[in-house]
Amino acid sequence: MRLRIIAAGSWMAWKRNSVRALVVMFIMSIVAMSMMSGSVALSDSVETAALLAFKNAQPDPGKYLRSWTGNDPCGHLWNGIFCKQDPSTNLSHVTEIRAMNFNLRGKLVPDLGNLTRLERLNVMNNGLTGQIPPALGRFGNLKLFLVNNNDLTGELPPELGNLTNMTRFQIDVNRLSGRIPPQFGNLTNVKHLHMNNNSLNGTIPVDLSRCGKLNHLILDHNQFSGPLPPALANIPGLTIIQLDNNPIGSPLPLSWAGISSLLKLSLRNCSITQTTPELGSLPNLTFIDMSYNNLTGVLPSNISSHVITLAFSNNQLEGIVPTQYAALNEIQNLDVSNNKLNGSIPAFGSGTSLTNSSQIVVLDFQNNNFTGWDAATSDVASRPNKEVWLTGNPRLCGSSSDNVIVPQPTQLLVCQPTQSALQVYGTVVPAGENAASCRSCGYPEVAVARGSTSAANVTCGCAVPIIVHIRLKSPSFTYMDSYVDYFEGLTARALGIAKWQVRVSNATRSPNLYAQDITLFVFPASNSSFSQEEFDDLYTQFASWIVSAGDEWSLSIAGPYDFLDFTTATASMKANGLDTGAVVGIVVGAVAASAALAALITMVVLRRRHADYSRAKLYGGMSLPPGINIKGVKAFTFAELARATNDFNVDHELGQGGYGKVYKGVLADGIIVAIKRAQEGSMQGATQFYTEIELLSRVHHRNLVQLLGFCNDRGEQMLVYEFMAGGTLRDHLIPTEIMGFARRLHIALGTARGILYLHTEADPPIFHRDIKASNILLDERMNAKVADFGLSKLAPMPDLNGAIPQHVSTIVKGTPGYLDPEYFLTQKLTDKTDVYSFGVVLLEIITGMFPIAYGKNIVREVNRAMETGDIMSIADPQMDTYPSKQGLEPLLKLALSCCQNESEARPRMVDIVRELEDIWRNTKSSVSGSMKDMPSSTFSIDMSHLGEPSSDSFQDVSYGMVNSKGQLEGKIDPR
Ligand SMILES: *[C@@H]1O[C@H](CO)[C@@H](O)[C@H](O)[C@H]1NC(C)=O
Ligand SMILES: *[C@@H]1O[C@H](CO)[C@@H](O)[C@H](O)[C@H]1NC(C)=O
Ligand SMILES: *[C@@H]1O[C@H](CO)[C@@H](O)[C@H](O)[C@H]1NC(C)=O
């Protein structure tokens, strides 16, 4: 306890607030009590052994299973373990493993099968390898089997057919192979079979027709072959059949056209061979995709009037578009392109979705033999959010796609070469209904319009939402845009809360797929944040699919979702009544102390909750949801950044720092970025990471490397920065490169301005703590930008009385040679610590020397030269052109004043910037005398933007730089 009291003491010293002090004391006393209360194991020892066997099989880089120690998983804080007590024996049994997004990389060991009371196995979104052990068939009580999104291989064990209580089976996105065992027909309670994106093969077993409760059969992206089992039509509540991208190669069973419950039939690219079946007896059908098959004959004339998405493209269909299609009220995407259809296109235009200006509708008739179209259809093409594509119909658009023969404006539009309907309208970022007009709120709060949806009845407020990230993997709509409102309502009703409490904050459609990635905000009913209990309840509802289990959702056009993430910005702290100020305080206060304190708080929160059903050991595994946008900083998924770097290929490595490796990446939109990937040990808690991102997102200055995005996904933390083509300053101070004086001065001034911004303009102020030549990056025009302040600590904040503490006591961090000697001795961090390091950089810029080399210290060497008056001897010979001794002297003096031992004696950044600007000005006036070897006209243009050296002002500087711009552009340098 001693150590902890000291830790808390320093925190309190920083923030003198007796209420908070009491909170800390209170917390500590609870910890003390709980530690003394002894620990008699209340868990089943067989189950404990099974969990430890699983833990031991995991490389666990994110240390998510660190808390799995001891012999009492149900009693002691095991991250992600949930139990129920058996009243007859008083023994607790493990009922749930919730280890999604834990970055686990090991195997599912057979010992897990010893958890015979397990109801929910949730190890989604990890990197688990190896096979699914047959022993998992011993989970007699299992309801949810969630191993999707891993790296599992091998075949499905027939023993899984014993899991007769199972309602949900998700093995999608793995590398599983082999057949679906016929024993799966015994899964009489299963509602969801999600096996998409594997390498499963063989036929779809007819036995599945015995799964009488099946709703969703999702098998797309596998190697299944035909014939398809007609008996599936016997399942009374089947709503989704999704088989896309399988080499089926046989006809659709006629019986399937009679599955009257069917909402969605998706057989894209399945080599289906037959004359198109009539689908008129599928009254509830909202989605049909039979494109990219070998269908012949005519389009089905009679289809459900509820159809939203209807795709028959890329077949060999003949005949006309049935006139009934023109009356579809909900149509969003009709795609009959690339067939042999003919006749005149009927009179589209009066359907509800076609007349509603806010709804997107895309009608694609490209590459057929249509001979005419109705004026109503033509009119549609001129309406907002509507597109009608006719390209590739020679009679309508001419024989080549850009040869437009019919001279009407709308025809010009529709006869242009176009993309696939799935490539348009990718992202929706809806304005949060009435909240848009509410005032903006400070992080982590978000503006919320409470009350009814009519603007007159809302009250504006600020609250911390829970952020839920889900993926609709099989919606009936193509474009989410028109369904945002619908979806918010559906979710709110499923959760039993008011509609205004749910807001879609972002929706992105997966490229060329119908799947939608959605970021949801869920707001508390009246308070400014959710209580721990509410948080836990909502989490459980999403993670257990309780939220979508009702008929309203499971029969809805939203389809099933993948649960990707669930978090709230300050959950772990809020739960203890510590406000955001305290969070910042802890970060600022003392690093070691805050870590200890945060750990204690977490322990207390969890300890408090030790009940027969222990809940919410979430925070250890809490990660930020990909998709949340913090003021212009984009959240990337792990997959996106892996793609950008070719799976973090060694060829993309730019360098390695204390934080981890840095990669060059090319994003999907072609933008080149630098990606910093935290290595093991550099990862931060989610709250701290989030706090830091939020801080960085507010830092904008042209002399600071801009943070573009971040990733907190799959147990990895990464920062995405603008890419700096010029590499580091240090790389240019080399004997083989000549750099002129003006260029050097420009870099020094830019660097100083960047640091000045961090000290005075950033809110809260930031002390860099690690200014050095290799942290100063250059863009392709040699403009300097300070990097790596992302890992710096905040400057001290005013306390409650408004007084600013003079320094921050913290662990000494920095690089030898640049390290402020006073800071090193006293551990007191001030703005002058950065001033010292900047002085050293300035000396490097002038002399080209390293801070420490061959036992020589740059500060000492320059001081000596100044004393002897021989300053030209230490000027960098690679400077090529520079002003006289009189020009160099003030710069050296400034640098040395920055490097004084006593911080008091050093100038402030603002003085330094002013002085550098003066030197800049004087250099210009002395230029005609001392810089004879350069064209004075260039120099006067060059110096004409005094005080504001912009990138353009130096663009034409050709002197002093041997490396041409071209050479620099291709250069990739470690940071
Ligand atoms: C799990 O049960 C099996 C069979 O009962 C046993 O052989 C194995 O040792 C158990 N695993 C552990 C880790 O105790
Ligand atoms: C499970 O399915 C298999 C094959 O379909 C069958 O032979 C077996 O009897 C079934 N077992 C039970 C317990 O129903
Ligand atoms: C069609 O949908 C309606 C409304 O969701 C539902 O009540 C009805 O049972 C469905 N029809 C069939 C045959 O499932």
Side-chain angles (χ1 to χ4, degrees):
M1 289 311 289
R2 199 181 144 82
L3 187 138
R4 288 178 193 115
I5 289 165
I6 293 166
S10 68
W11 180 62
M12 284 187 293
W14 177 75
K15 200 145 200 173
R16 295 186 208 294
N17 179 318
S18 55
V19 176
R20 296 222 168 90
L22 279 175
V23 171
V24 173
M25 303 297 277
F26 175 60
I27 288 169
M28 290 195 308
S29 56
I30 297 178
V31 172
M33 273 153 47
S34 65
M35 280 178 170
M36 284 181 282
S37 65
S39 57
V40 179
L42 296 165
S43 307
D44 184 307
S45 59
V46 174
E47 296 179 2
T48 308
L51 288 174
L52 288 174
F54 176 65
K55 178 193 176 180
N56 291 337
Q58 304 307 317
D60 178 19
K63 306 240 186 310
Y64 289 99
L65 304 184
R66 190 170 32 191
S67 58
W68 289 25
T69 56
N71 59 358
D72 198 6
C74 296
H76 275 290
L77 315 176
W78 284 34
N79 191 17
I81 298 301
F82 297 78
C83 299
K84 269 185 194 159
Q85 199 173 43
D86 183 336
S88 60
T89 61
N90 274 346
L91 210 56
S92 288
H93 295 280
V94 178
T95 52
E96 177 168 358
I97 298 177
R98 196 184 282 173
M100 66 185 266
N101 297 331
F102 273 19
N103 198 9
L104 302 177
R105 299 288 162 101
K107 294 191 162 45
L108 285 169
V109 292
D111 308 87
L112 279 179
N114 298 3
L115 299 166
T116 48
R117 313 271 187 123
L118 199 69
E119 293 171 15
R120 299 168 188 167
L121 174 69
N122 175 349
V123 291
M124 306 185 290
N125 314 338
N126 284 295
L128 293 169
T129 57
Q131 309 201 352
I132 298 176
L136 301 197
R138 296 171 56 205
F139 293 144
N141 292 324
L142 198 78
K143 295 197 173 70
L144 307 182
F145 189 100
L146 314 170
V147 304
N148 48 300
N149 240 316
N150 279 292
D151 224 356
L152 299 169
T153 50
E155 305 200 354
L156 289 170
E159 288 80 358
L160 297 183
N162 297 336
L163 305 177
T164 51
N165 286 310
M166 187 162 64
T167 59
R168 196 171 190 100
F169 182 72
Q170 293 194 179
I171 56 159
D172 43 299
V173 195
N174 277 290
R175 292 192 288 137
L176 297 160
S177 54
R179 292 161 178 267
I180 297 180
Q183 286 80 355
F184 276 33
N186 297 344
L187 302 173
T188 47
N189 278 304
V190 81
K191 289 181 154 190
H192 297 272
L193 287 174
H194 297 184
M195 310 193 203
N196 54 286
N197 295 75
N198 279 290
S199 300
L200 300 170
N201 58 29
T203 56
I204 296 165
V206 66
D207 306 69
L208 290 189
S209 61
R210 291 192 286 121
C211 302
K213 301 225 171 111
L214 192 62
N215 288 148
H216 298 166
L217 180 63
I218 301 188
L219 304 176
D220 55 282
H221 294 86
N222 277 293
Q223 296 297 323
F224 290 116
S225 50
L228 296 168
L232 284 188
N234 301 338
I235 303 173
L238 196 57
T239 53
I240 296 182
I241 299 180
Q242 186 162 311
L243 299 178
D244 316 53
N245 293 298
N246 279 292
I248 304 284
S250 65
L252 198 66
L254 288 178
S255 63
W256 285 20
I259 311 179
S260 56
S261 52
L262 215 56
L263 280 174
K264 176 156 180 171
L265 182 63
S266 200
L267 291 149
R268 189 184 181 81
N269 191 22
C270 287
S271 307
I272 303 287
T273 48
Q274 84 192 105
T275 343
T276 348
E278 276 299 330
L279 301 170
S281 47
L282 301 174
N284 282 358
L285 207 59
T286 53
F287 181 108
I288 312 162
D289 187 355
M290 298 203 57
S291 50
Y292 295 91
N293 282 301
N294 302 317
L295 299 178
T296 53
V298 297
L299 284 166
S301 60
N302 192 4
I303 55 164
S304 149
S305 60
H306 301 303
V307 159
I308 300 167
T309 300
L310 193 161
F312 275 100
S313 74
N314 295 279
N315 281 291
Q316 280 104 52
L317 298 172
E318 293 167 322
I320 58 160
V321 173
T323 49
Q324 293 92 320
Y325 287 16
L328 294 171
N329 277 324
E330 327 229 335
I331 194 74
Q332 200 185 50
N333 177 18
L334 171 74
D335 184 359
V336 295
S337 63
N338 298 297
N339 279 293
K340 301 174 192 162
L341 300 170
N342 55 32
S344 188
I345 295 168
F348 282 86
S350 55
T352 315
S353 61
L354 290 155
T355 52
N356 181 337
S357 64
S358 67
Q359 292 198 22
I360 294 175
V361 180
V362 175
L363 306 175
D364 190 346
F365 302 106
Q366 294 180 82
N367 300 315
N368 279 291
N369 295 313
F370 290 112
T371 51
W373 74 91
D374 194 277
T377 309
S378 167
D379 174 47
V380 167
S382 61
R383 296 180 197 169
N385 293 314
K386 311 289 180 285
E387 297 193 12
V388 181
W389 295 345
L390 300 176
T391 318
N393 285 283
R395 296 282 299 279
L396 306 183
C397 294
S399 52
S400 91
S401 58
D402 49 11
N403 182 3
V404 180
I405 58 165
V406 191
Q408 287 174 26
T410 54
Q411 292 147 9
L412 283 172
L413 171 73
V414 297
C415 287
Q416 299 294 322
T418 41
Q419 313 151 292
S420 136
L422 278 175
Q423 284 165 356
V424 291
Y425 303 114
T427 304
V428 195
V429 186
E433 245 174 85
N434 297 317
S437 58
C438 286
R439 73 195 158 98
S440 61
C441 301
Y443 168 82
E445 293 188 323
V446 173
V448 56
R450 295 196 168 94
S452 86
T453 47
S454 81
N457 295 329
V458 298
T459 26
C460 289
C462 293
V464 183
I466 286 173
I467 303 154
V468 189
H469 191 71
I470 59 175
R471 175 176 304 140
L472 297 184
K473 57 194 295 183
S474 188
S476 287
F477 38 80
T478 309
Y479 311 113
M480 177 87 182
D481 303 62
S482 322
Y483 291 91
V484 169
D485 196 56
Y486 161 85
F487 184 72
E488 288 171 348
L490 181 73
T491 310
R493 283 191 299 278
L495 291 169
I497 58 180
K499 180 165 171 295
W500 64 262
Q501 290 181 260
V502 177
R503 186 194 311 165
V504 173
S505 116
N506 191 17
T508 311
R509 199 162 46 74
S510 311
N512 293 315
L513 289 175
Y514 292 94
Q516 295 278 347
D517 279 12
I518 294 176
T519 307
L520 276 181
F521 287 169
V522 183
F523 290 96
S526 51
N527 298 336
S528 65
S529 64
F530 284 99
S531 72
Q532 187 70 49
E533 281 70 22
E534 292 167 328
F535 182 92
D536 299 345
D537 288 347
L538 284 169
Y539 189 109
T540 303
Q541 294 202 54
F542 276 99
S544 316
W545 282 272
I546 294 167
V547 51
S548 69
D551 276 358
E552 191 191 9
W553 186 310
S554 62
L555 299 179
S556 81
I557 56 172
Y561 65 83
D562 272 343
F563 185 48
L564 303 178
D565 224 324
F566 188 94
T567 188
T568 181
T570 53
S572 55
M573 295 300 177
K574 283 283 178 186
N576 290 278
L578 300 179
D579 63 15
T580 354
V583 179
V584 176
I586 288 166
V587 174
V588 173
V591 178
S594 70
L597 193 59
L600 289 185
I601 290 170
T602 312
M603 281 178 71
V604 175
V605 177
L606 300 174
R607 189 79 210 176
R608 259 196 339 209
R609 229 173 287 292
H610 177 209
D612 55 344
Y613 182 79
S614 64
R615 293 181 297 167
K617 298 164 189 174
L618 306 170
Y619 302 118
M622 188 170 94
S623 57
L624 277 173
I628 165 167
N629 279 299
I630 308 177
K631 290 180 190 147
V633 178
K634 184 173 187 299
F636 291 92
T637 62
F638 179 85
E640 278 173 302
L641 297 186
R643 250 194 318 275
T645 54
N646 196 8
D647 274 326
F648 301 99
N649 192 292
V650 64
D651 293 341
H652 283 249
E653 280 182 31
L654 294 173
Q656 163 112 39
Y659 181 75
K661 285 186 173 151
V662 184
Y663 296 84
K664 181 182 181 180
V666 184
L667 301 178
D669 54 11
I671 292 177
I672 302 177
V673 293
I675 300 170
K676 271 198 168 168
R677 187 186 194 190
Q679 66 202 3
E680 235 180 278
S682 297
M683 306 260 273
Q684 315 174 64
T687 307
Q688 195 184 336
F689 186 66
Y690 197 11
T691 306
E692 199 155 279
I693 305 274
E694 208 281 329
L695 169 76
L696 293 181
S697 74
R698 288 188 270 125
V699 174
H700 298 279
H701 189 273
R702 65 190 151 109
N703 295 115
L704 296 174
V705 175
Q706 184 64 45
L707 181 76
L708 302 176
F710 64 91
C711 166
N712 192 16
D713 185 17
R714 286 207 167 199
E716 297 248 12
Q717 290 179 345
M718 290 182 258
L719 297 171
V720 180
Y721 288 98
E722 62 175 315
F723 178 73
M724 300 288 288
T728 80
L729 169 60
R730 189 59 251 182
D731 297 334
H732 292 278
L733 298 172
I734 47 172
T736 51
E737 184 171 327
I738 291 174
M739 197 199 291
F741 180 74
R743 174 77 65 197
R744 291 177 196 235
L745 197 52
H746 176 58
I747 291 171
L749 188 49
T751 305
R753 285 177 170 162
I755 301 170
L756 176 62
Y757 177 92
L758 290 176
H759 287 185
T760 58
E761 301 290 318
D763 180 26
I766 296 172
F767 294 165
H768 191 295
R769 300 209 299 172
D770 202 14
I771 300 281
K772 53 181 170 184
S774 56
N775 267 343
I776 294 160
L777 304 185
L778 303 174
D779 68 11
E780 72 285 351
R781 294 174 176 181
M782 300 290 277
N783 294 304
K785 298 195 186 202
V786 178
D788 239 359
F789 50 90
L791 310 174
S792 55
K793 289 289 162 276
L794 310 184
M797 300 270 285
D799 69 15
L800 294 177
N801 303 320
I804 300 177
Q806 286 306 300
H807 60 82
V808 181
S809 201
T810 180
I811 297 164
V812 171
K813 174 188 173 246
T815 305
Y818 296 94
L819 195 57
D820 166 10
E822 185 178 295
Y823 167 53
F824 182 74
L825 289 174
T826 64
Q827 306 194 6
K828 290 177 183 168
L829 179 67
T830 70
D831 56 337
K832 299 293 181 67
T833 304
D834 285 348
V835 169
Y836 184 93
S837 310
F838 175 75
V840 176
V841 171
L842 206 47
L843 292 176
E844 269 182 282
I845 291 178
I846 305 165
T847 65
M849 287 165 64
F850 283 93
I852 304 176
Y854 311 112
K856 287 181 176 176
N857 175 292
I858 194 171
V859 179
R860 228 176 12 241
E861 293 301 311
V862 175
N863 263 318
R864 189 172 299 155
M866 285 293 269
E867 278 158 21
T868 62
D870 184 19
I871 62 167
M872 296 320 267
S873 71
I874 47 146
D876 190 350
Q878 300 308 109
M879 206 172 328
D880 187 19
T881 54
Y882 45 86
S884 63
K885 186 175 165 182
Q886 289 73 24
L888 213 50
E889 212 168 59
L891 199 58
L892 279 171
K893 279 195 175 142
L894 175 64
L896 288 175
S897 72
C898 294
C899 295
Q900 312 243 38
N901 279 339
E902 292 77 32
S903 63
E904 281 287 300
R906 298 172 207 154
R908 293 168 305 159
M909 272 333 284
V910 61
D911 308 321
I912 296 169
V913 169
R914 221 170 271 148
E915 176 71 17
L916 284 170
E917 285 170 357
D918 278 348
I919 296 174
W920 179 272
R921 224 167 280 138
N922 295 337
T923 307
K924 184 206 172 195
S925 54
S926 70
V927 70
S928 48
S930 63
M931 291 187 165
K932 285 206 188 73
D933 52 334
M934 68 183 65
S936 59
S937 63
T938 310
F939 201 79
S940 65
I941 292 167
D942 179 29
M943 290 296 190
S944 62
H945 301 74
L946 275 179
E948 279 298 309
S950 70
S951 53
D952 294 328
S953 70
F954 267 87
Q955 206 181 356
D956 301 318
V957 180
S958 53
Y959 60 87
M961 254 190 76
V962 161
N963 277 1
S964 71
K965 196 178 154 208
Q967 274 171 294
L968 285 168
E969 268 182 345
K971 201 163 173 220
I972 302 167
D973 289 300
R975 305 198 163 180

